[in-house]
Amino acid sequence: MTQPPHDEPTASSPEELREQVEQTRTELGQTVQALAAKTDVKARARDKAAEVKEQAAAKAGELKEHAALKAGELKAKAADLAHQAQDQLPDPVKDKAAQAAGQARAKAAQAGQLWQEKAPEPVREKTAQGAQLARDNRKVLLAAAGVAAVMWLACRHRKG
């Protein structure tokens, strides 16, 4: 294919020539806009940052959902393992554990009494605040302890 020389008209009528000129202007305008968009580094960086942010938010949502599911599974498994362990313990061991727990409570009460007598007032106040905070957030602490126990059991199970 060869192009006609620039001095020869390619249109058969002035109206056809106007249409070709208008089409050429439109194509040239689109080309200029495309080139301008490619050279606008800030806009491209903003677009890419927005895209990455959306992807990260989506991934974070997926991970959060997955973690919640896993936590539920682990909690159920921990409860099941605890029941299995408790069912397998012989009665003398259970009795001994209850007795040891009673003794531990008595010693803890003695230690608490000694603490009240010997500890400075600011330290006792801070300790009381910490204990109150623990009581207020009991469910969170129990959940964290349950997860820790399950993780410990899972690690022991893998090693064994």
Side-chain angles (χ1 to χ4, degrees), residues 14-24:
E15 187 61 38
E16 199 176 307
L17 184 61
R18 284 187 191 101
E19 287 178 19
Q20 287 179 354
V21 168
E22 187 58 37
Q23 183 179 356
T24 302

Side-chain angles (χ1 to χ4, degrees), residues 123-144:
V123 174
R124 286 193 308 237
E125 287 176 8
K126 287 290 184 185
T127 305
Q129 289 173 355
Q132 184 62 43
L133 185 62
R135 281 191 293 275
D136 292 345
N137 296 299
R138 182 174 294 171
K139 288 182 182 178
V140 174
L141 290 173
L142 289 174

Side-chain angles (χ1 to χ4, degrees), residues 1-13:
M1 295 173 76
T2 59
Q3 291 186 342
H6 293 287
D7 57 348
E8 292 182 21
T10 57
S12 58
S13 70

Side-chain angles (χ1 to χ4, degrees), residues 41-73:
V41 177
K42 278 187 176 181
R44 289 176 65 194
R46 271 194 308 268
D47 292 346
K48 187 66 174 175
E51 180 183 328
V52 169
K53 184 177 178 181
E54 288 176 15
Q55 289 174 348
K59 189 67 173 174
E62 290 175 19
L63 290 174
K64 184 177 178 182
E65 186 177 315
H66 182 68
L69 288 172
K70 279 293 185 188
E73 291 173 9

Side-chain angles (χ1 to χ4, degrees), residues 70-86:
K70 279 293 185 188
E73 291 173 9
L74 290 175
K75 185 177 178 182
K77 191 170 184 175
D80 186 44
L81 288 173
H83 287 292
Q84 287 177 8
Q86 194 172 25

